[in-house]
Structure formats: structure tokens, C-alpha cells
Amino acid sequence: MSQKTTTFLMFQNRDAEEAMNFYVSLFEDSKVVAVSHYGPGGPGPEGTVMHATFTLAGQEYMCIDSSEQHAFGFTPSMSIWVACDTEEEIDRLYAALLEGGQPLMPIGSYGFSTKFGWVNDRFGVSWQLNLA
């Protein structure tokens, strides 16, 4: 059996399912694979995500709603890189991810890319979008 790596996102504001469904709506070949929720008397608030698996453009991700608050959250030093095929795609994704979020590098032409944008979305997850 070979090793496999999967990006794991820990949400602390009880919005893992909302974030997951938002991300799945943005990318083709994406789906929610499985979701389990905390029940009554569980370590997390009832109805929040105990564990979920989903795919974005065929790549597997996992997420949870943390049952405990931590002194740390998402950081832009770890981000999701998206290679976009068209200007329409990069513009659409940047606008959707920016809504309620924060721009880190506005869409523009940079020395390493003719069109690139970096944004923290409204859930705090960092995305780098590059026109391939």
C-alpha cells in the first residue's frame, strides 16, 4: 500500500459544511463524498461536522468543525494553488473567493505570471490562482 496525502481543513466557527459546499460549487469534477455530524452529547456541538471528505477538481480534501477552540487558525503561508485554464475561470474564482474575504495579491500581471491573484476567502482559507 502506498502512502497518500490529503489536505485537511480544520474550521473553528462551525462553518466547515458551508465552506465545503461553497468550494464544491466552484470547481468542476467536485463532490461531497461523505459527511458525519456530531450527535447529542458528542464532543462537538450537535449537527456540526465531525468529519467530511470532498473532492475539488478530482483532488481529495477532508474537513472538520473543531470541537475545541485553538489559539491558531488558517494562515496564508499554507494555501491552495489553482492552475486556471482561462481568464474567465481565474476571474470567476477570484471574485467568488474574494466575496467576504481579503485580497492578498490582487489579480494582476506579476513577474512569474501574466495573471495571478491570491486571496483569503471568507472562511480564512488561502487560495493562489494562476492563469496557466
Side-chain angles (χ1 to χ4, degrees):
M1 182 184 219
S2 62
Q3 288 183 321
K4 179 180 175 183
T5 64
T6 302
T7 301
F8 186 94
L9 303 171
M10 181 187 71
F11 294 86
Q12 297 195 81
N13 296 320
R14 300 179 184 170
D15 52 7
E17 195 157 12
E18 179 186 354
M20 173 181 62
N21 289 328
F22 174 60
Y23 301 150
V24 166
S25 77
L26 295 177
F27 297 92
E28 291 184 26
D29 189 22
S30 300
K31 66 182 177 183
V32 174
V33 176
V35 182
S36 58
H37 297 94
Y38 289 110
E46 184 175 0
T48 59
V49 174
M50 183 167 52
H51 185 266
T53 305
F54 61 102
T55 63
L56 301 179
Q59 176 67 43
E60 185 177 83
Y61 292 80
M62 291 189 286
C63 68
I64 63 168
D65 281 311
S66 181
S67 60
E68 298 186 26
Q69 288 294 309
H70 299 278
F72 54 86
F74 294 116
T75 171
S77 66
M78 190 74 172
S79 59
I80 299 172
W81 177 274
V82 181
C84 300
D85 291 327
T86 66
E87 286 199 45
E88 178 184 73
E89 180 184 24
I90 193 171
D91 291 341
R92 178 184 62 81
L93 290 172
Y94 188 85
L97 293 165
L98 181 61
E99 190 172 318
Q102 171 191 16
L104 299 177
M105 289 177 75
I107 287 276
S109 176
Y110 296 92
F112 58 88
S113 175
T114 58
K115 193 160 191 179
F116 174 86
W118 193 347
V119 61
N120 280 350
D121 69 24
R122 67 181 180 250
F123 305 102
V125 176
S126 184
W127 299 82
Q128 294 189 61
L129 309 171
N130 187 58
L131 184 60

